[in-house]
Amino acid sequence: MSDRNIYLKTVPVPEAVRLAKEALDRDELIRSELVPTHRAPGRVTAAPIYAKCSSPTFHSAAMDGIAVYSRKTFTAREGQAVELRLGTDYVPVNTGNALPEGTDAVIMIENVVQIDEHTVSIEAPAFPWQHVRKIGEDIVATEMLLPQNHTITPFDVGALLSAGIYDIKVWEKVQMTFIPTGDEILPFRDRPVPCPGEVIESNSQVFSALARGLAVEYQCTLPVRDREELLMKAIDLALDESHIVVVGAGSSAGSKDFTRRVFEKMGTVLTHGIAIMPGKPTLLAIAKGKLLVGAPGYPVSAVVCFEDVLTPIISWLSGKPAPKKGQIDVRLARRTPSKPGMEEVIRLAIGEVNDGYVGVPLARGAGMITTLTKAQGIARVPADSEGIEQGESVKVELFSPRESLSRVLMHVGSHDNTIDLLANALMGMGEQLKLVSTHAGSMGGLTALKDGNALFAGCHLFDPESGDFNFPFLEKYLPGEKVAVINLAIRHQGLIIAKGNPKKINGVKDLPREDVIFINRQRGAGTRILLDHHLKEGGINPRSIRGYDREEYTHMAVAANVLTGAADCGLGIHAAAKALDLGFAPLARERYDLIIPERHLEDPRIKTLLNLISSEGIKERINSLGGYETTLTGQFMEAGMGLGD
Amino acid sequence: MSDRNIYLKTVPVPEAVRLAKEALDRDELIRSELVPTHRAPGRVTAAPIYAKCSSPTFHSAAMDGIAVYSRKTFTAREGQAVELRLGTDYVPVNTGNALPEGTDAVIMIENVVQIDEHTVSIEAPAFPWQHVRKIGEDIVATEMLLPQNHTITPFDVGALLSAGIYDIKVWEKVQMTFIPTGDEILPFRDRPVPCPGEVIESNSQVFSALARGLAVEYQCTLPVRDREELLMKAIDLALDESHIVVVGAGSSAGSKDFTRRVFEKMGTVLTHGIAIMPGKPTLLAIAKGKLLVGAPGYPVSAVVCFEDVLTPIISWLSGKPAPKKGQIDVRLARRTPSKPGMEEVIRLAIGEVNDGYVGVPLARGAGMITTLTKAQGIARVPADSEGIEQGESVKVELFSPRESLSRVLMHVGSHDNTIDLLANALMGMGEQLKLVSTHAGSMGGLTALKDGNALFAGCHLFDPESGDFNFPFLEKYLPGEKVAVINLAIRHQGLIIAKGNPKKINGVKDLPREDVIFINRQRGAGTRILLDHHLKEGGINPRSIRGYDREEYTHMAVAANVLTGAADCGLGIHAAAKALDLGFAPLARERYDLIIPERHLEDPRIKTLLNLISSEGIKERINSLGGYETTLTGQFMEAGMGLGD
């Protein structure tokens, strides 16, 4: 382990960007080029553009009608018509026609009475230049149409062509090459099925999509094995045809992370380590006047490296200001501690609830790309902060325009596969809705409703005393809040076990066995409460169960543990066992209800949801998952209804 | 004129969109197709997508360090180290490595002390699963990753590849063909120089850029002459390979506008005429299950047709919600009357002034594409309104994110070519600024400052009594407002005349001549005030001057009138005459100053402006325009300084 790297002093992100800009000679690096105007949208002008011809280039009729000499019309009044002769007094014109020499006004066809083939009469005078588009009205030849460093819009193309400009000088596109590295990575083009220790390479394609969004010309090499000389050769080739060369992974401090050593041999390292999490293992260097980047291997770290460090550098090279993400203020739904000394990027599920925006922090792991696919935006915890409190207002940078948040249907609560089914169906409705679902367990869902952090909550809390579902808990945890309780499905819970049940696990009585490893759900999950109820009934001490303390947040995660042998069993829904083709030992039937505060019932998004779950087709789709009953689906529940049997 | 069309009953825009959606069978029209995941960003899923493999597919080290059996570490404490043996107790791992069978935790390399080649010691216990990324932590096989009708983001590509999904089913792209029509239009590909009556075709390329922004597959045919059978043939061909066929121009009510007749012959017309200005002459029809569109010929009308009518239809065909433009509230700088019965789209120059957004309405003509290139957004006057009052707050739909408005430097005032020079130079500064300039004359500039509608105003008002510039007017029109007055240049005003001065016009004394046609500037323009002063001094009655009532808003427009012979002369700056290679009869030197309220001096945008005009290079650039003196450029002016001679 003697060949480990140590990070250089980590620097704040703006400092890293500044170092790179200072080290690059933009004028030397980026040339201008001539492109046809109609291919220029999105390109950036390298010089101001002046009109070559005027628009219109002639006095032209702005209406269909007749062109006239206005002075011959001045006496026309209502009841005191003036007659005009074809040719000498008027000429018919269509919109866009050039005015005949000497005419200086157009009378709309609607105001003209045809007397005979050669004569018309009018009952109102024409003002000089009425309904005439004068020469240069839109564009005057030689005027400056666009300044330098302007990004060409669709409208600009219209103005440029109208002004007779068929080519424009723009900055060449920034060229970027990505070099994936690592013995463990599998090229996605081979369509691999990964074995333990292997990872499908995907960062190159996330960078590709992000780079193309900035109009970068992007290419990606084949993956390079973990050998210094191979990497040096690949970088050398890439430098010849790129402004920026990114080496994927290998920039951290592990024994195989030799990117820094390679950069040091080939050029000058600017910084190793930036003061942000995720994203810290970012490495910047200069070689042959080009930028070398060591991008972190973890997908979220890589994205932060791209968005925070590379985007401003690429924009600057492109002649553009760095794009600013839309910002809104969001109320944080959960306390989010953070280690001081480093800025931290928190991904948030964001929705509009009660006329305000709510943000639910997603998992923090830098390896979890799905935290980015599920998030609507990010918040930043500054380096000098120890975190953000629940309910605190934070600035959020949005991934899509804030207007799209009105289409987000915010769910916090228990996880069930039918929720995914709803999510898909809602995207097929006339007014598409995006179901943003945070799995916080049934109790977490009730808390979210209480705090105003969700539009509805999926909930399946069993009360042994009354034998009823959810209502006893609503009285206790949402006192005074009027809610509607609508059943989504009755579902079958049981022990998810390996296929064929090799360990002969048939009920909770088998859980304390020496040879059985259990995987549990998190505190507050209805499924865990159900387990504890059955353990209590069976007189089983939870402490006697191996793995009782290991928690997962979803049924699918429990099933995945069983599938891979990390656990022998866990409590979960039949649908999860079925999805992964596992065994299932039934334990209980329970009601999975949607809890909706009455004040949300008029929200158009909730109305769409209710339309969906009361539609006929939905029952069929739920039943096809297996392990569900739909006898109550879509019905409003009342206290004491139990399973309605 | 007997073959004119009459519009069918015009319908509101949402109604036109609804008619088209109802008439199209989306399921029949749009197929799904399989595309490689890494080529899918921006495409829309045609079905939900389920993970094929988990990520990680194995328990993996989340840190560089050693993999251990956590139970062997439980007794480790500070000062009570536990020694571990290579192989039996620990295995070195790098981030991403699979955990060796049975190990269940990773200890960071920083917390490990190497004793010898085969032994390490630790002083803290490892919790089970610490620094381990568990199987399925990010993605569990079979879970739904994306619903149907979801637009693929760069992040999604990462998640999809990680989940072993190498192809995805997406909706095919909407295919659109544009057919430009009209005997008068010139294909831009021929790089034409238009003669009177001819127009460079450009709408097809504005549509191209807008359509590509919606991921449409777009093609454009050669222009079709104004003959019915030619248009029918072109449409017939286009229908075979498009979902939408757009006929450019010819949908209005002129005698040559036969698009409706053609649509009626080939299919069913849905609506002719929509209740919006510009955009009214929009025509929708169905043929062979495809959409036929007659798009207006005026560029702004065409854009409204695309954005308001076609965009929602294209989005719906694409499986996406219609994009919503960012909205802000803007204070209207000028009263804007509007004809009731039609919704009207007003283009606005928008900037941030005094912590609020101000919108200056631009020209209304549907033929002026530059109103779109100059605008930052649009406001809508509803059909039942007679207009918007000055100072009223209006909803504006923005063309770019609201965040970009902080880079807008709002100028209202007199027009001068040096303002364009500043606009270009400001885009070359480190912090690029977009100078948005509205030409309202010097007096209009002072009014804008008084109303808080501009950050600064260009002003060149001469006071004959004192012989001074601007200050006497500031006292009168901006009483109590503390302002800084900074000179941009001294400029030469005079009569702009034809080259070679064929009519021998040498001064204002020649203006009343029978054979001289004058072109004037608008009321409130400093140049007009200057003219009136000289007329008064010369004892000349303005009424005796032919063309005194014809007004233009800029020096360049005046010069264009002279260039084309529409006028023989007009008062303007030397730079305008020089730009169009015209003659010039000097009349006066005057000071063109920038008036900046003192409370704006700390605004970072104004600071950038001041930096620019006090830089050395700027004088050289101004002088190169011709007709300027820069002896005072960048200096703060005081009352009574005159021309500083």
PDB file of all heavy atoms in Angstrom, chain A residues 69-93:
ATOM      1  N   TYR A  69     -51.933  56.654 -54.578  1.00  0.00           N
ATOM      2  CA  TYR A  69     -51.240  57.889 -54.265  1.00  0.00           C
ATOM      3  C   TYR A  69     -52.099  58.560 -53.206  1.00  0.00           C
ATOM      4  O   TYR A  69     -53.233  58.977 -53.498  1.00  0.00           O
ATOM      5  CB  TYR A  69     -51.132  58.756 -55.513  1.00  0.00           C
ATOM      6  CG  TYR A  69     -50.507  58.030 -56.682  1.00  0.00           C
ATOM      7  CD1 TYR A  69     -51.287  57.230 -57.507  1.00  0.00           C
ATOM      8  CD2 TYR A  69     -49.132  58.121 -56.931  1.00  0.00           C
ATOM      9  CE1 TYR A  69     -50.724  56.535 -58.563  1.00  0.00           C
ATOM     10  CE2 TYR A  69     -48.563  57.426 -57.986  1.00  0.00           C
ATOM     11  CZ  TYR A  69     -49.352  56.632 -58.806  1.00  0.00           C
ATOM     12  OH  TYR A  69     -48.788  55.936 -59.834  1.00  0.00           O
ATOM     13  N   SER A  70     -51.606  58.669 -52.000  1.00  0.00           N
ATOM     14  CA  SER A  70     -52.478  59.103 -50.908  1.00  0.00           C
ATOM     15  C   SER A  70     -53.112  60.458 -51.194  1.00  0.00           C
ATOM     16  O   SER A  70     -54.255  60.703 -50.852  1.00  0.00           O
ATOM     17  CB  SER A  70     -51.696  59.137 -49.583  1.00  0.00           C
ATOM     18  OG  SER A  70     -50.625  60.055 -49.673  1.00  0.00           O
ATOM     19  N   ARG A  71     -52.369  61.342 -51.879  1.00  0.00           N
ATOM     20  CA  ARG A  71     -52.905  62.699 -52.110  1.00  0.00           C
ATOM     21  C   ARG A  71     -54.183  62.667 -52.955  1.00  0.00           C
ATOM     22  O   ARG A  71     -54.991  63.575 -52.897  1.00  0.00           O
ATOM     23  CB  ARG A  71     -51.837  63.590 -52.737  1.00  0.00           C
ATOM     24  CG  ARG A  71     -51.401  63.162 -54.126  1.00  0.00           C
ATOM     25  CD  ARG A  71     -50.313  64.078 -54.708  1.00  0.00           C
ATOM     26  NE  ARG A  71     -50.058  63.724 -56.108  1.00  0.00           N
ATOM     27  CZ  ARG A  71     -49.281  62.706 -56.489  1.00  0.00           C
ATOM     28  NH1 ARG A  71     -48.655  61.973 -55.568  1.00  0.00           N
ATOM     29  NH2 ARG A  71     -49.123  62.432 -57.770  1.00  0.00           N
ATOM     30  N   LYS A  72     -54.363  61.586 -53.759  1.00  0.00           N
ATOM     31  CA  LYS A  72     -55.572  61.501 -54.589  1.00  0.00           C
ATOM     32  C   LYS A  72     -56.780  61.000 -53.795  1.00  0.00           C
ATOM     33  O   LYS A  72     -57.870  60.867 -54.334  1.00  0.00           O
ATOM     34  CB  LYS A  72     -55.334  60.563 -55.780  1.00  0.00           C
ATOM     35  CG  LYS A  72     -54.271  61.019 -56.753  1.00  0.00           C
ATOM     36  CD  LYS A  72     -54.253  60.115 -57.985  1.00  0.00           C
ATOM     37  CE  LYS A  72     -53.143  60.530 -58.947  1.00  0.00           C
ATOM     38  NZ  LYS A  72     -53.130  59.649 -60.142  1.00  0.00           N
ATOM     39  N   THR A  73     -56.557  60.645 -52.517  1.00  0.00           N
ATOM     40  CA  THR A  73     -57.648  60.055 -51.726  1.00  0.00           C
ATOM     41  C   THR A  73     -58.142  60.984 -50.628  1.00  0.00           C
ATOM     42  O   THR A  73     -59.089  60.653 -49.920  1.00  0.00           O
ATOM     43  CB  THR A  73     -57.171  58.750 -51.046  1.00  0.00           C
ATOM     44  OG1 THR A  73     -56.248  59.096 -50.002  1.00  0.00           O
ATOM     45  CG2 THR A  73     -56.511  57.810 -52.036  1.00  0.00           C
ATOM     46  N   PHE A  74     -57.484  62.139 -50.458  1.00  0.00           N
ATOM     47  CA  PHE A  74     -57.702  62.954 -49.265  1.00  0.00           C
ATOM     48  C   PHE A  74     -59.141  63.428 -49.101  1.00  0.00           C
ATOM     49  O   PHE A  74     -59.610  63.653 -47.991  1.00  0.00           O
ATOM     50  CB  PHE A  74     -56.753  64.164 -49.256  1.00  0.00           C
ATOM     51  CG  PHE A  74     -55.335  63.797 -48.906  1.00  0.00           C
ATOM     52  CD1 PHE A  74     -54.290  64.675 -49.172  1.00  0.00           C
ATOM     53  CD2 PHE A  74     -55.045  62.571 -48.308  1.00  0.00           C
ATOM     54  CE1 PHE A  74     -52.988  64.328 -48.861  1.00  0.00           C
ATOM     55  CE2 PHE A  74     -53.735  62.232 -48.001  1.00  0.00           C
ATOM     56  CZ  PHE A  74     -52.706  63.112 -48.282  1.00  0.00           C
ATOM     57  N   THR A  75     -59.876  63.568 -50.209  1.00  0.00           N
ATOM     58  CA  THR A  75     -61.236  64.128 -50.106  1.00  0.00           C
ATOM     59  C   THR A  75     -62.291  63.065 -49.826  1.00  0.00           C
ATOM     60  O   THR A  75     -63.459  63.396 -49.609  1.00  0.00           O
ATOM     61  CB  THR A  75     -61.605  64.867 -51.402  1.00  0.00           C
ATOM     62  OG1 THR A  75     -61.527  63.931 -52.483  1.00  0.00           O
ATOM     63  CG2 THR A  75     -60.675  66.038 -51.655  1.00  0.00           C
ATOM     64  N   ALA A  76     -61.907  61.790 -49.849  1.00  0.00           N
ATOM     65  CA  ALA A  76     -62.909  60.721 -49.658  1.00  0.00           C
ATOM     66  C   ALA A  76     -63.501  60.787 -48.253  1.00  0.00           C
ATOM     67  O   ALA A  76     -62.782  60.953 -47.264  1.00  0.00           O
ATOM     68  CB  ALA A  76     -62.277  59.364 -49.916  1.00  0.00           C
ATOM     69  N   ARG A  77     -64.828  60.703 -48.172  1.00  0.00           N
ATOM     70  CA  ARG A  77     -65.535  60.682 -46.892  1.00  0.00           C
ATOM     71  C   ARG A  77     -66.684  59.694 -47.018  1.00  0.00           C
ATOM     72  O   ARG A  77     -67.050  59.301 -48.124  1.00  0.00           O
ATOM     73  CB  ARG A  77     -66.131  62.065 -46.566  1.00  0.00           C
ATOM     74  CG  ARG A  77     -65.162  63.196 -46.368  1.00  0.00           C
ATOM     75  CD  ARG A  77     -64.510  63.157 -44.982  1.00  0.00           C
ATOM     76  NE  ARG A  77     -63.544  64.243 -44.831  1.00  0.00           N
ATOM     77  CZ  ARG A  77     -62.303  64.225 -45.361  1.00  0.00           C
ATOM     78  NH1 ARG A  77     -61.902  63.171 -46.064  1.00  0.00           N
ATOM     79  NH2 ARG A  77     -61.486  65.233 -45.194  1.00  0.00           N
ATOM     80  N   GLU A  78     -67.278  59.354 -45.902  1.00  0.00           N
ATOM     81  CA  GLU A  78     -68.471  58.515 -45.961  1.00  0.00           C
ATOM     82  C   GLU A  78     -69.565  59.279 -46.701  1.00  0.00           C
ATOM     83  O   GLU A  78     -69.818  60.451 -46.383  1.00  0.00           O
ATOM     84  CB  GLU A  78     -68.940  58.154 -44.544  1.00  0.00           C
ATOM     85  CG  GLU A  78     -69.411  56.708 -44.426  1.00  0.00           C
ATOM     86  CD  GLU A  78     -69.824  56.363 -43.005  1.00  0.00           C
ATOM     87  OE1 GLU A  78     -68.997  56.549 -42.096  1.00  0.00           O
ATOM     88  OE2 GLU A  78     -70.979  55.908 -42.833  1.00  0.00           O
ATOM     89  N   GLY A  79     -70.177  58.663 -47.674  1.00  0.00           N
ATOM     90  CA  GLY A  79     -71.204  59.330 -48.472  1.00  0.00           C
ATOM     91  C   GLY A  79     -70.640  60.275 -49.511  1.00  0.00           C
ATOM     92  O   GLY A  79     -71.369  60.954 -50.225  1.00  0.00           O
ATOM     93  N   GLN A  80     -69.318  60.352 -49.604  1.00  0.00           N
ATOM     94  CA  GLN A  80     -68.641  61.278 -50.520  1.00  0.00           C
ATOM     95  C   GLN A  80     -67.474  60.514 -51.148  1.00  0.00           C
ATOM     96  O   GLN A  80     -66.309  60.843 -50.943  1.00  0.00           O
ATOM     97  CB  GLN A  80     -68.147  62.485 -49.716  1.00  0.00           C
ATOM     98  CG  GLN A  80     -67.964  63.754 -50.529  1.00  0.00           C
ATOM     99  CD  GLN A  80     -67.517  64.900 -49.638  1.00  0.00           C
ATOM    100  OE1 GLN A  80     -68.080  65.107 -48.551  1.00  0.00           O
ATOM    101  NE2 GLN A  80     -66.517  65.648 -50.073  1.00  0.00           N
ATOM    102  N   ALA A  81     -67.845  59.433 -51.870  1.00  0.00           N
ATOM    103  CA  ALA A  81     -66.850  58.504 -52.384  1.00  0.00           C
ATOM    104  C   ALA A  81     -65.931  59.167 -53.391  1.00  0.00           C
ATOM    105  O   ALA A  81     -66.319  60.120 -54.066  1.00  0.00           O
ATOM    106  CB  ALA A  81     -67.531  57.296 -53.011  1.00  0.00           C
ATOM    107  N   VAL A  82     -64.708  58.650 -53.440  1.00  0.00           N
ATOM    108  CA  VAL A  82     -63.766  59.050 -54.493  1.00  0.00           C
ATOM    109  C   VAL A  82     -63.566  57.833 -55.391  1.00  0.00           C
ATOM    110  O   VAL A  82     -63.408  56.722 -54.900  1.00  0.00           O
ATOM    111  CB  VAL A  82     -62.423  59.507 -53.881  1.00  0.00           C
ATOM    112  CG1 VAL A  82     -61.345  59.565 -54.947  1.00  0.00           C
ATOM    113  CG2 VAL A  82     -62.593  60.856 -53.199  1.00  0.00           C
ATOM    114  N   GLU A  83     -63.640  58.039 -56.690  1.00  0.00           N
ATOM    115  CA  GLU A  83     -63.412  56.937 -57.623  1.00  0.00           C
ATOM    116  C   GLU A  83     -61.975  56.955 -58.095  1.00  0.00           C
ATOM    117  O   GLU A  83     -61.390  58.011 -58.331  1.00  0.00           O
ATOM    118  CB  GLU A  83     -64.374  57.039 -58.814  1.00  0.00           C
ATOM    119  CG  GLU A  83     -65.816  56.764 -58.414  1.00  0.00           C
ATOM    120  CD  GLU A  83     -66.692  56.375 -59.599  1.00  0.00           C
ATOM    121  OE1 GLU A  83     -66.231  56.448 -60.752  1.00  0.00           O
ATOM    122  OE2 GLU A  83     -67.844  55.971 -59.345  1.00  0.00           O
ATOM    123  N   LEU A  84     -61.402  55.768 -58.188  1.00  0.00           N
ATOM    124  CA  LEU A  84     -60.011  55.651 -58.630  1.00  0.00           C
ATOM    125  C   LEU A  84     -59.956  54.739 -59.859  1.00  0.00           C
ATOM    126  O   LEU A  84     -60.701  53.764 -59.952  1.00  0.00           O
ATOM    127  CB  LEU A  84     -59.146  55.067 -57.504  1.00  0.00           C
ATOM    128  CG  LEU A  84     -59.102  55.849 -56.174  1.00  0.00           C
ATOM    129  CD1 LEU A  84     -58.364  55.053 -55.105  1.00  0.00           C
ATOM    130  CD2 LEU A  84     -58.451  57.211 -56.362  1.00  0.00           C
ATOM    131  N   ARG A  85     -59.053  55.097 -60.812  1.00  0.00           N
ATOM    132  CA  ARG A  85     -58.936  54.343 -62.054  1.00  0.00           C
ATOM    133  C   ARG A  85     -57.722  53.427 -61.984  1.00  0.00           C
ATOM    134  O   ARG A  85     -56.650  53.798 -61.506  1.00  0.00           O
ATOM    135  CB  ARG A  85     -58.762  55.295 -63.246  1.00  0.00           C
ATOM    136  CG  ARG A  85     -59.955  56.239 -63.519  1.00  0.00           C
ATOM    137  CD  ARG A  85     -61.067  55.546 -64.270  1.00  0.00           C
ATOM    138  NE  ARG A  85     -60.648  55.048 -65.584  1.00  0.00           N
ATOM    139  CZ  ARG A  85     -61.353  54.197 -66.340  1.00  0.00           C
ATOM    140  NH1 ARG A  85     -62.515  53.744 -65.889  1.00  0.00           N
ATOM    141  NH2 ARG A  85     -60.918  53.807 -67.527  1.00  0.00           N
ATOM    142  N   LEU A  86     -57.911  52.227 -62.485  1.00  0.00           N
ATOM    143  CA  LEU A  86     -56.818  51.243 -62.506  1.00  0.00           C
ATOM    144  C   LEU A  86     -55.635  51.816 -63.283  1.00  0.00           C
ATOM    145  O   LEU A  86     -55.819  52.418 -64.339  1.00  0.00           O
ATOM    146  CB  LEU A  86     -57.320  49.950 -63.160  1.00  0.00           C
ATOM    147  CG  LEU A  86     -56.321  48.783 -63.243  1.00  0.00           C
ATOM    148  CD1 LEU A  86     -55.988  48.249 -61.864  1.00  0.00           C
ATOM    149  CD2 LEU A  86     -56.887  47.646 -64.103  1.00  0.00           C
ATOM    150  N   GLY A  87     -54.456  51.630 -62.727  1.00  0.00           N
ATOM    151  CA  GLY A  87     -53.263  52.062 -63.456  1.00  0.00           C
ATOM    152  C   GLY A  87     -52.900  53.487 -63.132  1.00  0.00           C
ATOM    153  O   GLY A  87     -51.845  53.742 -62.541  1.00  0.00           O
ATOM    154  N   THR A  88     -53.769  54.444 -63.422  1.00  0.00           N
ATOM    155  CA  THR A  88     -53.425  55.846 -63.148  1.00  0.00           C
ATOM    156  C   THR A  88     -53.573  56.189 -61.676  1.00  0.00           C
ATOM    157  O   THR A  88     -52.782  56.941 -61.117  1.00  0.00           O
ATOM    158  CB  THR A  88     -54.317  56.802 -63.968  1.00  0.00           C
ATOM    159  OG1 THR A  88     -55.669  56.314 -63.908  1.00  0.00           O
ATOM    160  CG2 THR A  88     -53.876  56.869 -65.413  1.00  0.00           C
ATOM    161  N   ASP A  89     -54.617  55.624 -61.008  1.00  0.00           N
ATOM    162  CA  ASP A  89     -54.872  55.979 -59.612  1.00  0.00           C
ATOM    163  C   ASP A  89     -54.557  54.852 -58.625  1.00  0.00           C
ATOM    164  O   ASP A  89     -54.274  55.108 -57.464  1.00  0.00           O
ATOM    165  CB  ASP A  89     -56.347  56.371 -59.413  1.00  0.00           C
ATOM    166  CG  ASP A  89     -56.727  57.572 -60.257  1.00  0.00           C
ATOM    167  OD1 ASP A  89     -55.830  58.399 -60.540  1.00  0.00           O
ATOM    168  OD2 ASP A  89     -57.901  57.661 -60.643  1.00  0.00           O
ATOM    169  N   TYR A  90     -54.705  53.642 -59.083  1.00  0.00           N
ATOM    170  CA  TYR A  90     -54.452  52.540 -58.142  1.00  0.00           C
ATOM    171  C   TYR A  90     -53.913  51.306 -58.878  1.00  0.00           C
ATOM    172  O   TYR A  90     -54.091  51.186 -60.105  1.00  0.00           O
ATOM    173  CB  TYR A  90     -55.723  52.171 -57.372  1.00  0.00           C
ATOM    174  CG  TYR A  90     -56.701  51.287 -58.126  1.00  0.00           C
ATOM    175  CD1 TYR A  90     -56.586  49.881 -58.058  1.00  0.00           C
ATOM    176  CD2 TYR A  90     -57.730  51.819 -58.901  1.00  0.00           C
ATOM    177  CE1 TYR A  90     -57.473  49.076 -58.752  1.00  0.00           C
ATOM    178  CE2 TYR A  90     -58.623  51.018 -59.578  1.00  0.00           C
ATOM    179  CZ  TYR A  90     -58.490  49.635 -59.506  1.00  0.00           C
ATOM    180  OH  TYR A  90     -59.351  48.822 -60.189  1.00  0.00           O
ATOM    181  N   VAL A  91     -53.279  50.445 -58.114  1.00  0.00           N
ATOM    182  CA  VAL A  91     -52.788  49.158 -58.618  1.00  0.00           C
ATOM    183  C   VAL A  91     -53.124  48.104 -57.569  1.00  0.00           C
ATOM    184  O   VAL A  91     -52.830  48.315 -56.385  1.00  0.00           O
ATOM    185  CB  VAL A  91     -51.253  49.178 -58.839  1.00  0.00           C
ATOM    186  CG1 VAL A  91     -50.758  47.837 -59.360  1.00  0.00           C
ATOM    187  CG2 VAL A  91     -50.851  50.300 -59.773  1.00  0.00           C
ATOM    188  N   PRO A  92     -53.767  46.986 -57.941  1.00  0.00           N
ATOM    189  CA  PRO A  92     -54.049  45.941 -56.953  1.00  0.00           C
ATOM    190  C   PRO A  92     -52.733  45.346 -56.424  1.00  0.00           C
ATOM    191  O   PRO A  92     -51.803  45.128 -57.194  1.00  0.00           O
ATOM    192  CB  PRO A  92     -54.829  44.885 -57.744  1.00  0.00           C
ATOM    193  CG  PRO A  92     -55.245  45.559 -59.012  1.00  0.00           C
ATOM    194  CD  PRO A  92     -54.240  46.616 -59.290  1.00  0.00           C
ATOM    195  N   VAL A  93     -52.674  45.114 -55.144  1.00  0.00           N
ATOM    196  CA  VAL A  93     -51.464  44.506 -54.555  1.00  0.00           C
ATOM    197  C   VAL A  93     -51.859  43.431 -53.540  1.00  0.00           C
ATOM    198  O   VAL A  93     -52.920  43.522 -52.900  1.00  0.00           O
ATOM    199  CB  VAL A  93     -50.570  45.540 -53.830  1.00  0.00           C
ATOM    200  CG1 VAL A  93     -49.797  46.386 -54.820  1.00  0.00           C
ATOM    201  CG2 VAL A  93     -51.380  46.402 -52.882  1.00  0.00           C
TER     202      VAL A  93
END
